[in-house]
Amino acid sequence: YADSAPWPRGADGQGRTMELLDPQGDLSDPSSWFDGCLGGSPGTVYSPCDDPVVFSEINYYSRPGFDMGDWVEIRNISDTVVDLSSWTFMDGVDSIGHRFVIPEGINLQPLQNVVLVQDTARFKWAMPDVANVLGPFGFGLKNTGEWIRAYDCNGKIILSVRYDDQSPWPSQANGEGYTLELDAEQGLMNDGNNWFAGCYGGSPGTAYTPTCPPVGSADL
């Protein structure tokens, strides 16, 4: 195995393990493996992940003329309240300048979303009606793809996604005005096929709906 593509990179210090996809396949072939749930599934067969929260949307490269800054959305997919107090959001750089600590008293209700934004003013200019916003996080997300992560108040990794600007990741999120929307909330987080380009401008703060709101114009 290796710690670089095409091997599953989530097993390289990002909280996941390499799970065998095809027991009849070549065990030395990277395509026979995938990175599953956080913590893996030791002693049992893989099953869909039961994480209480997920990164549900990512805006890493806004379209020129409609630049709302970088942002990510966290969604509570459980049926209980999740306390996000003192959680730390990070990109792929392990340094103090690439950390955003969520303030105390932030409780995410079931099926509620919160948006972490790089630039509060730019985001509010583009999305004035979105209220559940925290920031600014003061660092940018790479246009070519990188890790984004979240750790709880005890320093335990809770979320990790390695997005990319290459296929099978949706190309429309790469500077064309769209975002990465998570498809299956219990699916494979690092599989580009589990993400899609939804509405123009995205759907920050709310669940995706095919009936997209009129946010600007695709001709901007």
Side-chain angles (χ1 to χ4, degrees), residues 31 61 109 162 200 212:
S31 65
Y61 187 7
Q109 301 295 320
R162 209 294 180 183
Y200 183 79
C212 297

CSV table of all heavy atoms in Angstrom, one decimal, residues 31 61 109 162 200 212:
chain,number,residue,atom,x,y,z
A,31,SER,N,-7.4,0.0,-6.5
A,31,SER,CA,-8.8,0.1,-6.8
A,31,SER,C,-9.6,-1.0,-6.0
A,31,SER,O,-10.8,-1.0,-6.0
A,31,SER,CB,-9.1,-0.1,-8.3
A,31,SER,OG,-8.7,-1.4,-8.7
A,61,TYR,N,-14.0,27.6,-4.6
A,61,TYR,CA,-13.5,28.5,-5.7
A,61,TYR,C,-14.7,29.2,-6.3
A,61,TYR,O,-15.4,28.6,-7.1
A,61,TYR,CB,-12.8,27.6,-6.7
A,61,TYR,CG,-12.1,28.4,-7.8
A,61,TYR,CD1,-12.0,29.8,-7.8
A,61,TYR,CD2,-11.5,27.7,-8.9
A,61,TYR,CE1,-11.3,30.5,-8.9
A,61,TYR,CE2,-10.9,28.4,-10.0
A,61,TYR,CZ,-10.8,29.8,-9.9
A,61,TYR,OH,-10.1,30.4,-10.9
A,109,GLN,N,-29.0,21.9,16.1
A,109,GLN,CA,-30.2,21.0,16.2
A,109,GLN,C,-30.2,20.0,15.2
A,109,GLN,O,-29.6,20.1,14.1
A,109,GLN,CB,-31.4,21.9,16.2
A,109,GLN,CG,-31.5,23.1,17.2
A,109,GLN,CD,-31.6,22.5,18.6
A,109,GLN,OE1,-32.3,21.6,18.9
A,109,GLN,NE2,-30.8,23.2,19.5
A,162,ARG,N,-11.4,15.0,1.7
A,162,ARG,CA,-10.3,15.4,0.8
A,162,ARG,C,-11.0,15.7,-0.6
A,162,ARG,O,-11.2,14.8,-1.4
A,162,ARG,CB,-9.3,14.3,0.7
A,162,ARG,CG,-7.9,14.8,0.3
A,162,ARG,CD,-7.7,15.4,-1.0
A,162,ARG,NE,-6.4,15.9,-1.3
A,162,ARG,CZ,-6.0,16.5,-2.4
A,162,ARG,NH1,-6.9,16.8,-3.3
A,162,ARG,NH2,-4.7,16.9,-2.6
A,200,TYR,N,-26.7,27.2,-8.6
A,200,TYR,CA,-25.8,28.3,-8.8
A,200,TYR,C,-25.7,29.1,-7.5
A,200,TYR,O,-26.7,29.5,-7.0
A,200,TYR,CB,-26.2,29.1,-10.0
A,200,TYR,CG,-25.2,30.2,-10.3
A,200,TYR,CD1,-24.1,30.0,-11.0
A,200,TYR,CD2,-25.4,31.5,-9.8
A,200,TYR,CE1,-23.1,31.0,-11.3
A,200,TYR,CE2,-24.5,32.5,-10.1
A,200,TYR,CZ,-23.4,32.3,-10.8
A,200,TYR,OH,-22.4,33.2,-11.1
A,212,CYS,N,-34.0,25.5,-7.2
A,212,CYS,CA,-33.0,26.4,-6.8
A,212,CYS,C,-33.5,27.8,-6.7
A,212,CYS,O,-34.3,28.3,-7.5
A,212,CYS,CB,-31.8,26.4,-7.8
A,212,CYS,SG,-31.0,24.8,-7.9
